[in-house]
């Protein structure tokens, strides 16, 4: 009975989310509460929820202060050089942009924290996707899958859990898996290349007016409009003609007439909450994309016409100047992906919150924070709490400025923390009612006796659905020892079982039970259901590639 209710609860949750019948936070709370009553344990619901909240409270605290810390670092310009480097590589080519997303996510994932990876990746890449009309679910899907593969690093969590559960050395588990994980990461890059080509075909190759590279155009900003002439706005990127020459993009003056709503004046009224996400610093940015293309969730419609990539008439050009010169301006200010000179720039290089004189202090603080996190000198929530307090105090010594920075990021903090505590209801009911144990026992019991000698393969295959529907703790400490015991009876080494258990992490990072995924979809302004529909198939395929490579190399 509990087995059926457990699978039914998970299926109901996913269906309602993907059909957009309920918001994730409502579904995470109401559906498990209802199924707890169906299981005849409604009287214990409060105990289950409190237990779940207690277990996830440190994660919520870590995410809250991580968002504040990295939000401040984005505000003050720490990651601007990374953005400029990505822009030099990407130019205006959708294929390069998607590949750049995968590379950036993989590099940043070396810190072992998914929320950090997603904050930096989305902050750098979102303006390009938005401005070129690219599919935002491609960005979230590629970033999540790349991070999932890299999440197997010993300090990332799963490897340490597997080693602890089976009383093994983490190095013995991870190091032999490097070739298989490298194959999985290579597959992610190939996948990004293919998806990028698909986006290029959908949109057509784009080029900047005058053929300049993004980084060069960024440095060549137009002077503000003369008094009374109105704000200066950007010309759109143009499609490349077959001959390679760029078509006419239209004058900046005409673009300005259509984009007055995206001027610095109106941008100053935009919500500061978007600053924390690093995705919508101006009011115009919210309206810049066209409606989603049929069949492509989160993808603005491809530009029409043969010469210019134009936006809809009601989509104003984006603000080019900071919303204001006050310290309480919404941050980080994201300039239009097209600079006034026609170049991509992403983060506004003239936002009032920049602190160039403190760049090396902020870089050193971030390196020290990540080093301490990897070495586990203190619990991660404590490290981010201390880091956020120090970053605010040094970069914004005046109390009103500190309050303004916190307020600018408060919306994202509230959304993510609320989602984590809502997920605590889901996990609390799954665990407290015994559904998880019954589901795991049913799956293990369904394994044919003849598959005993192949328990490593079975473990790898089971890791996909189980790590998606369960927390890593539940899988590694609850299910993995049972699988290892069954394998040992047939002569399968616990090391092989532990290594095989890692292959599902690419899919796990898009699980509704992973708090970091809500940072990703929230910053990218993508519906969780859209992200799930797009990502699950590619993430599962990536996990199977890792499993196949492990078997081919004799690791599993």
């Amino acid at each position: 009975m509990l087995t059926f209710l457990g699978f039914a609860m998970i299926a109901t949750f996913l269906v309602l989310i993907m059909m957009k019948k309920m918001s994730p936070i409502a579904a995470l709370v109401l559906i498990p509460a209802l199924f707890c009553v169906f299981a005849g344990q409604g009287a214990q619901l409060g105990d289950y929820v409190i237990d779940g909240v207690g277990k996830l409270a440190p994660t919520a605290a870590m995410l809250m202060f991580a968002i504040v810390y990295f939000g401040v670092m984005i505000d003050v310009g720490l990651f601007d050089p990374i953005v400029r480097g990505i822009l030099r590589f990407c130019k205006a080519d959708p294929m390069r942009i998607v590949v750049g997303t995968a590379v950036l996510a993989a590099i940043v994932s070396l810190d072992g924290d998914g929320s950090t990876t997603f904050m930096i990746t989305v902050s750098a890449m979102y303006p390009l996707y938005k401005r070129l009309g690219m599919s935002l679910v491609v960005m979230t899907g590629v970033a999540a899958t790349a991070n999932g593969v890299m999440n197997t690093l010993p300090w990332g969590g799963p490897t340490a859990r597997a080693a602890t559960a089976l009383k093994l050395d983490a190095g013995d588990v991870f190091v032999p898996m490097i070739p298989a994980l490298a194959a999985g990461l290579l597959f992610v890059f190939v996948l990004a290349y293919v998806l990028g080509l698909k986006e290029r075909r959908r949109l057509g190759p784009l080029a900047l007016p005058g053929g300049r590279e993004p980084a060069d155009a960024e440095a060549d900003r137009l002077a503000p409009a003369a008094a009374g002439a109105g704000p200066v706005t950007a010309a759109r990127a143009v499609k490349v003609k077959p001959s390679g020459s760029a078509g006419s993009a239209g004058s900046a003056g005409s673009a300005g007439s259509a984009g007055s709503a995206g001027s610095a004046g109106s941008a100053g009224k935009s919500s500061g909450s978007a600053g924390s996400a690093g995705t919508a610093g101006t009011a115009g940015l919210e309206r810049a994309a066209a409606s989603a293309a049929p069949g492509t969730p989160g993808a603005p419609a491809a530009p029409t016409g043969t010469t210019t990539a134009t936006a809809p008439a009601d989509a104003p050009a984006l603000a080019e100047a900071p919303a204001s010169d006050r310290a309480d301006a919404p941050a980080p200010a994201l300039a239009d992906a097209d600079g006034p000179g026609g170049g991509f720039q992403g983060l506004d290089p003239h936002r009032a919150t920049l602190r160039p004189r403190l760049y090396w202090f902020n870089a050193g603080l971030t390196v020290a924070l990540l080093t301490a996190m990897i070495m586990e000198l203190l619990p991660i929530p404590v490290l981010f709490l201390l880091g956020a307090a120090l970053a605010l105090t040094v970069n914004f010594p005046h109390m009103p400025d500190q309050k303004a920075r916190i307020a600018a990021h408060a919306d994202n903090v509230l959304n993510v923390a609320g989602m984590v505590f809502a997920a605590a209801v889901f996990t609390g009911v799954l665990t407290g009612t015994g559904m998880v144990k019954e589901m795991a026992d049913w799956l293990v019991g369904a394994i044919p006796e003849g598959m005993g000698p192949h328990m490593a393969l079975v473990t790898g295959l089971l890791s996909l659905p189980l790590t998606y529907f369960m927390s890593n703790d539940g899988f590694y400490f609850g299910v993995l020892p049972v699988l290892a015991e069954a394998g040992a009876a047939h002569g399968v080494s616990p090391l092989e079982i532990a290594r095989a258990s890692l292959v599902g992490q690419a899919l796990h990072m898009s699980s509704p039970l992973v708090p970091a995924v809500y940072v990703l979809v929230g910053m990218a302004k993508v519906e969780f259901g859209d992200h799930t529909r797009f990502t699950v198939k590619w993430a599962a395929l990536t996990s199977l590639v890792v499993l196949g490579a492990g078997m081919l190399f004799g690791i599993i």
Side-chain angles (χ1 to χ4, degrees):
M1 179 64 175
L2 287 177
T3 301
F4 170 77
L5 288 176
F7 283 116
M9 184 174 81
I10 292 171
T12 302
F13 170 78
L14 291 175
V15 168
L16 290 176
I17 288 298
M18 288 191 286
M19 293 181 65
K20 300 182 182 179
K21 298 298 184 182
M22 295 183 72
S23 67
I25 194 167
L28 285 168
V29 172
L30 297 179
I31 292 174
L34 184 62
F35 275 84
C36 185
V37 174
F38 289 164
Q41 302 183 40
Q44 287 78 43
L45 177 61
D47 294 334
Y48 298 155
V49 172
I50 294 299
D51 184 58
V53 168
K55 291 179 179 178
L56 288 182
T59 300
M62 183 272 289
L63 289 175
M64 287 172 61
F65 290 106
I67 289 171
V68 173
Y69 179 83
F70 284 104
V72 169
M73 291 298 109
I74 293 169
D75 290 346
V76 300
L78 177 63
F79 302 112
D80 284 23
I82 297 177
V83 175
R84 286 194 292 268
I86 292 292
L87 296 180
R88 287 191 181 96
F89 169 78
C90 293
K91 300 182 180 179
D93 184 356
M95 184 274 290
R96 289 185 175 221
I97 291 172
V98 179
V99 173
T101 301
V103 172
L104 179 60
I107 292 174
V108 182
S109 294
L110 289 171
D111 73 344
D113 179 58
S115 58
T116 301
T117 298
F118 297 147
M119 289 184 69
I120 295 174
T121 302
V122 176
S123 296
M125 305 307 298
Y126 178 92
L128 295 179
Y129 281 81
K130 194 77 169 178
R131 187 64 181 87
L132 291 179
M134 295 176 62
S135 171
L136 293 174
V137 293
V138 170
M139 177 180 68
T140 61
V142 167
T145 306
N147 178 253
V149 175
M150 297 297 290
N151 192 47
T152 53
L153 292 168
W155 53 88
T159 301
R161 288 181 176 92
T164 301
L166 301 184
K167 297 179 175 58
L168 302 170
D169 181 80
D172 293 338
V173 175
F174 174 75
V175 174
M177 278 293 290
I178 290 177
L181 296 173
L185 191 59
L186 178 61
F187 177 78
V188 173
F189 293 152
V190 173
L191 174 63
Y193 176 78
V194 172
L195 293 175
L197 289 180
K198 182 178 179 182
E199 285 295 285
R200 180 195 281 173
R201 287 193 297 269
R202 185 175 69 86
L203 297 169
L206 302 173
L208 301 175
R212 289 176 295 172
E213 292 193 3
D216 297 331
E218 178 182 348
D220 185 21
R221 298 178 60 83
L222 296 179
V232 177
T233 52
R236 299 285 185 176
V238 299
K239 276 191 178 181
V240 177
K241 293 181 178 179
S243 63
S245 61
S248 171
S251 66
S254 63
S257 65
S260 59
S263 66
S266 65
K269 298 178 183 178
S270 64
S271 171
S273 62
S276 63
T279 56
T282 65
L285 187 55
E286 294 296 329
R287 302 188 296 272
S291 58
T296 309
T304 58
T306 57
T307 57
T308 61
T310 58
D314 61 346
L318 305 177
E320 300 302 321
S324 74
D325 291 330
R326 302 188 312 272
D328 61 347
L334 284 176
D336 186 5
D338 273 354
F344 288 82
Q345 58 190 33
L347 295 168
D348 185 353
H350 298 298
R351 58 192 184 276
T353 56
L354 288 176
R355 297 293 185 268
R357 294 182 181 179
L358 294 173
Y359 182 85
W360 291 112
F361 166 80
N362 290 317
L365 177 61
T366 302
V367 170
L369 178 64
L370 297 180
T371 301
M373 184 171 63
I374 292 171
M375 296 178 65
E376 299 181 351
L377 298 181
L378 286 172
I380 294 178
V382 176
L383 289 173
F384 275 116
L385 192 155
L386 294 174
L390 186 58
L392 278 169
T393 301
V394 174
N395 288 283
F396 302 97
H398 301 296
M399 185 67 68
D401 295 342
Q402 292 182 17
K403 290 182 178 180
R405 292 301 90 221
I406 294 173
H409 303 291
D411 185 68
N412 212 33
V413 168
L414 179 61
N415 287 337
V416 172
M419 203 70 70
V420 172
F421 288 122
V425 180
F426 196 93
T427 57
V429 169
L430 267 179
T431 304
T433 58
M435 291 180 187
V436 164
K437 184 178 184 304
E438 292 293 327
M439 292 163 63
D441 290 345
W442 179 82
L443 286 171
V444 173
I447 300 172
E449 184 67 22
M451 291 298 294
H454 307 288
M455 279 304 296
L457 172 62
V458 171
T459 300
L461 293 174
L462 287 178
S463 71
L464 274 71
L466 291 182
T467 57
Y468 186 80
F469 296 127
M470 299 171 62
S471 67
N472 271 340
D473 285 339
F475 174 71
Y476 286 105
F477 295 117
V479 178
L480 188 60
V482 178
L483 294 173
E485 185 177 349
H490 295 274
V492 180
S493 166
L495 274 172
E496 294 182 64
I497 299 294
R499 292 167 190 160
S501 70
L502 301 177
V503 304
Q505 289 303 305
L507 179 59
H508 171 74
M509 284 310 297
S510 290
S511 166
L513 303 181
V514 175
V517 74
Y518 297 110
V519 177
L520 174 64
V521 298
M523 291 180 65
K525 303 197 180 302
V526 169
E527 290 290 337
F528 182 80
D530 292 338
H531 170 79
T532 300
R533 277 197 301 271
F534 177 83
T535 306
V536 164
K537 57 182 180 292
W538 300 120
L541 186 57
T542 302
S543 293
L544 293 176
V545 168
V546 174
L547 179 59
M551 297 181 65
L552 180 65
F553 297 145
I555 301 167
I556 299 175

PDB file of all heavy atoms in Angstrom, residues 223-232 253 256-257 260 263:
ATOM      1  N   ALA A 223      28.112  58.179 -26.281  1.00  0.00           N
ATOM      2  CA  ALA A 223      27.876  59.173 -25.236  1.00  0.00           C
ATOM      3  C   ALA A 223      26.384  59.306 -25.008  1.00  0.00           C
ATOM      4  O   ALA A 223      25.578  59.021 -25.876  1.00  0.00           O
ATOM      5  CB  ALA A 223      28.455  60.518 -25.674  1.00  0.00           C
ATOM      6  N   PRO A 224      25.974  59.713 -23.788  1.00  0.00           N
ATOM      7  CA  PRO A 224      24.546  59.908 -23.532  1.00  0.00           C
ATOM      8  C   PRO A 224      23.950  60.908 -24.507  1.00  0.00           C
ATOM      9  O   PRO A 224      24.622  61.777 -25.028  1.00  0.00           O
ATOM     10  CB  PRO A 224      24.519  60.437 -22.097  1.00  0.00           C
ATOM     11  CG  PRO A 224      25.805  59.963 -21.492  1.00  0.00           C
ATOM     12  CD  PRO A 224      26.807  59.956 -22.608  1.00  0.00           C
ATOM     13  N   ALA A 225      22.664  60.769 -24.745  1.00  0.00           N
ATOM     14  CA  ALA A 225      21.975  61.672 -25.676  1.00  0.00           C
ATOM     15  C   ALA A 225      22.041  63.103 -25.175  1.00  0.00           C
ATOM     16  O   ALA A 225      22.106  63.362 -23.987  1.00  0.00           O
ATOM     17  CB  ALA A 225      20.524  61.229 -25.833  1.00  0.00           C
ATOM     18  N   ALA A 226      22.050  63.995 -26.108  1.00  0.00           N
ATOM     19  CA  ALA A 226      22.064  65.404 -25.723  1.00  0.00           C
ATOM     20  C   ALA A 226      20.799  65.755 -24.969  1.00  0.00           C
ATOM     21  O   ALA A 226      19.781  65.088 -25.085  1.00  0.00           O
ATOM     22  CB  ALA A 226      22.171  66.266 -26.992  1.00  0.00           C
ATOM     23  N   ALA A 227      20.885  66.789 -24.170  1.00  0.00           N
ATOM     24  CA  ALA A 227      19.733  67.186 -23.345  1.00  0.00           C
ATOM     25  C   ALA A 227      18.516  67.392 -24.227  1.00  0.00           C
ATOM     26  O   ALA A 227      18.566  68.103 -25.213  1.00  0.00           O
ATOM     27  CB  ALA A 227      20.060  68.471 -22.599  1.00  0.00           C
ATOM     28  N   GLY A 228      17.419  66.737 -23.819  1.00  0.00           N
ATOM     29  CA  GLY A 228      16.166  66.882 -24.550  1.00  0.00           C
ATOM     30  C   GLY A 228      16.042  65.950 -25.735  1.00  0.00           C
ATOM     31  O   GLY A 228      15.009  65.905 -26.375  1.00  0.00           O
ATOM     32  N   ALA A 229      17.124  65.191 -26.034  1.00  0.00           N
ATOM     33  CA  ALA A 229      17.072  64.317 -27.205  1.00  0.00           C
ATOM     34  C   ALA A 229      16.564  62.930 -26.883  1.00  0.00           C
ATOM     35  O   ALA A 229      16.338  62.132 -27.762  1.00  0.00           O
ATOM     36  CB  ALA A 229      18.465  64.207 -27.838  1.00  0.00           C
ATOM     37  N   GLY A 230      16.401  62.651 -25.575  1.00  0.00           N
ATOM     38  CA  GLY A 230      15.925  61.322 -25.184  1.00  0.00           C
ATOM     39  C   GLY A 230      17.084  60.370 -24.993  1.00  0.00           C
ATOM     40  O   GLY A 230      18.211  60.647 -25.359  1.00  0.00           O
ATOM     41  N   PRO A 231      16.815  59.225 -24.395  1.00  0.00           N
ATOM     42  CA  PRO A 231      17.871  58.265 -24.102  1.00  0.00           C
ATOM     43  C   PRO A 231      18.408  57.603 -25.355  1.00  0.00           C
ATOM     44  O   PRO A 231      17.696  57.401 -26.328  1.00  0.00           O
ATOM     45  CB  PRO A 231      17.171  57.234 -23.218  1.00  0.00           C
ATOM     46  CG  PRO A 231      15.737  57.327 -23.615  1.00  0.00           C
ATOM     47  CD  PRO A 231      15.500  58.762 -23.968  1.00  0.00           C
ATOM     48  N   VAL A 232      19.677  57.258 -25.311  1.00  0.00           N
ATOM     49  CA  VAL A 232      20.283  56.536 -26.413  1.00  0.00           C
ATOM     50  C   VAL A 232      19.982  55.063 -26.236  1.00  0.00           C
ATOM     51  O   VAL A 232      20.173  54.516 -25.173  1.00  0.00           O
ATOM     52  CB  VAL A 232      21.819  56.754 -26.418  1.00  0.00           C
ATOM     53  CG1 VAL A 232      22.449  55.927 -27.532  1.00  0.00           C
ATOM     54  CG2 VAL A 232      22.131  58.223 -26.628  1.00  0.00           C
ATOM     55  N   GLY A 253      18.382  55.913 -33.561  1.00  0.00           N
ATOM     56  CA  GLY A 253      17.311  56.835 -33.249  1.00  0.00           C
ATOM     57  C   GLY A 253      15.958  56.196 -33.350  1.00  0.00           C
ATOM     58  O   GLY A 253      15.103  56.372 -32.502  1.00  0.00           O
ATOM     59  N   GLY A 256      15.425  53.963 -30.523  1.00  0.00           N
ATOM     60  CA  GLY A 256      15.131  54.695 -29.305  1.00  0.00           C
ATOM     61  C   GLY A 256      13.676  55.068 -29.209  1.00  0.00           C
ATOM     62  O   GLY A 256      13.099  55.097 -28.134  1.00  0.00           O
ATOM     63  N   SER A 257      13.036  55.369 -30.343  1.00  0.00           N
ATOM     64  CA  SER A 257      11.624  55.711 -30.275  1.00  0.00           C
ATOM     65  C   SER A 257      10.775  54.548 -29.841  1.00  0.00           C
ATOM     66  O   SER A 257       9.731  54.733 -29.240  1.00  0.00           O
ATOM     67  CB  SER A 257      11.158  56.205 -31.661  1.00  0.00           C
ATOM     68  OG  SER A 257      11.253  55.154 -32.608  1.00  0.00           O
ATOM     69  N   SER A 260      11.566  53.700 -25.483  1.00  0.00           N
ATOM     70  CA  SER A 260      11.575  54.664 -24.397  1.00  0.00           C
ATOM     71  C   SER A 260      11.207  54.040 -23.075  1.00  0.00           C
ATOM     72  O   SER A 260      11.643  54.475 -22.024  1.00  0.00           O
ATOM     73  CB  SER A 260      10.605  55.818 -24.719  1.00  0.00           C
ATOM     74  OG  SER A 260       9.300  55.315 -24.901  1.00  0.00           O
ATOM     75  N   SER A 263      14.149  52.962 -21.013  1.00  0.00           N
ATOM     76  CA  SER A 263      15.133  53.969 -20.665  1.00  0.00           C
ATOM     77  C   SER A 263      15.558  53.849 -19.224  1.00  0.00           C
ATOM     78  O   SER A 263      14.969  53.170 -18.427  1.00  0.00           O
ATOM     79  CB  SER A 263      14.550  55.365 -20.910  1.00  0.00           C
ATOM     80  OG  SER A 263      13.495  55.601 -20.020  1.00  0.00           O
TER      81      SER A 263
END
